Amino acid sequence: MHKHHIPWLMATARALLGPIVALGHAARWDGSALAALVVAALFSDIFDGILARRWHSDTAALRLFDSMADTVFYIGVATAIAIAHPHLWRTHALLFFPLITLEALRFAFDFTKFGKPSSYHSYLAKTWGLLLAISVVTLFARSHADNLIAAALALGILCDIEGLTMSLLLPEWRRDVKSLSTAVRLRRSSLASHPAPAPLSNLAEPV
């Protein structure tokens, strides 16, 4: 196995951990064991990017796959939480349902405009991922993390608004757009290098 395959395998393992967390909870695994799986996924998410950059294998395809692996993982985690702590979704419905709606809207818009999901990996998205992991670990380990869950859902809404705005601004698919200001700069650069055609002059001259 070539070392360039390792980041791909790490992202694949992270995606598989999502269903494992859901099945593990259904099998009544200890909360600490489930929390450990989330920590393992978090470290995988951090180090697959570090290794890919070090080995110069940080391709657009890998970054897109990395984003999809995160999505699959957290769908599994959300399934486990919905079964174990259904009251959380009722308590935080005003945050949860807007987040799900924005996630679906982002996916539909990106797929319509670019033909594939976005993969921005912005600073806000990284912060959301870290806070989400901390809140889930706390919930599994201590069975109580209402405030952290609420904060993670609120930050997720802001992250989706940022991502949707980036997709509206950018004329073509881009990876690793770190902030909204970066998206604005990329748009200006794209418009400067591809100016709009001049309007056609009137064909008929006035008499």
Side-chain angles (χ1 to χ4, degrees), residues 2 20 31 38 40 44 69 102 108-109 119 121 131 135 144-146 155 168 173 206:
H2 198 278
I20 290 174
V38 177
S44 165
L102 284 170
F109 182 83
S119 183
H121 296 274
L131 179 58
S135 62
H144 182 78
D146 279 16
L155 188 58
L168 286 166
W173 189 88

Side-chain angles (χ1 to χ4, degrees), residues 21 24-39 80 84-85 133 135-144:
V21 168
H25 180 270
R28 300 185 181 277
W29 288 4
D30 183 72
S32 297
L34 298 177
L37 293 179
V38 177
V39 172
H85 306 279
S135 62
V136 170
V137 167
T138 304
L139 180 63
F140 283 151
R142 300 178 57 186
S143 298
H144 182 78

Side-chain angles (χ1 to χ4, degrees), residues 33-53:
L34 298 177
L37 293 179
V38 177
V39 172
L42 176 61
F43 277 99
S44 165
D45 195 18
I46 293 172
F47 285 103
D48 63 358
I50 293 174
L51 293 176
R53 287 188 291 272

Side-chain angles (χ1 to χ4, degrees), residues 19-205:
I20 290 174
V21 168
L23 292 173
H25 180 270
R28 300 185 181 277
W29 288 4
D30 183 72
S32 297
L34 298 177
L37 293 179
V38 177
V39 172
L42 176 61
F43 277 99
S44 165
D45 195 18
I46 293 172
F47 285 103
D48 63 358
I50 293 174
L51 293 176
R53 287 188 291 272
R54 176 173 296 180
W55 295 330
H56 305 290
S57 60
D58 189 24
T59 63
L62 176 59
R63 299 302 278 169
L64 178 58
F65 184 73
D66 183 81
S67 297
M68 295 171 65
D70 290 341
T71 300
V72 172
F73 172 73
Y74 277 108
I75 287 174
V77 170
T79 301
I81 293 175
I83 297 171
H85 306 279
H87 69 280
L88 285 176
W89 306 125
R90 294 192 296 269
T91 303
H92 303 300
L94 293 178
L95 292 171
F96 175 68
F97 288 108
L99 177 61
I100 294 299
T101 301
L102 284 170
E103 285 280 326
L105 180 61
R106 272 192 64 190
F107 180 84
F109 182 83
D110 291 340
F111 205 86
T112 300
K113 184 174 182 178
F114 305 123
K116 54 186 172 182
S118 61
S119 183
Y120 296 133
H121 296 274
S122 68
Y123 295 125
L124 185 59
K126 291 179 182 294
T127 304
W128 179 35
L130 180 60
L131 179 58
L132 191 59
I134 291 172
S135 62
V136 170
V137 167
T138 304
L139 180 63
F140 283 151
R142 300 178 57 186
S143 298
H144 182 78
D146 279 16
N147 292 335
L148 282 172
I149 291 292
L153 292 174
L155 188 58
I157 290 173
L158 293 177
C159 183
D160 276 331
I161 292 173
E162 179 194 56
L164 186 57
T165 305
M166 286 179 174
S167 295
L168 286 166
L169 287 171
L170 294 171
E172 59 186 8
W173 189 88
R174 294 270 189 164
R175 67 185 178 102
D176 298 329
V177 181
K178 297 303 183 182
S179 66
L180 192 56
S181 61
T182 303
V184 172
R185 187 170 65 252
L186 289 170
R187 176 179 174 83
R188 289 174 177 171
S189 176
S190 178
L191 292 177
S193 59
H194 300 88
L200 295 175
S201 59
N202 291 332
L203 296 179
E205 295 293 336

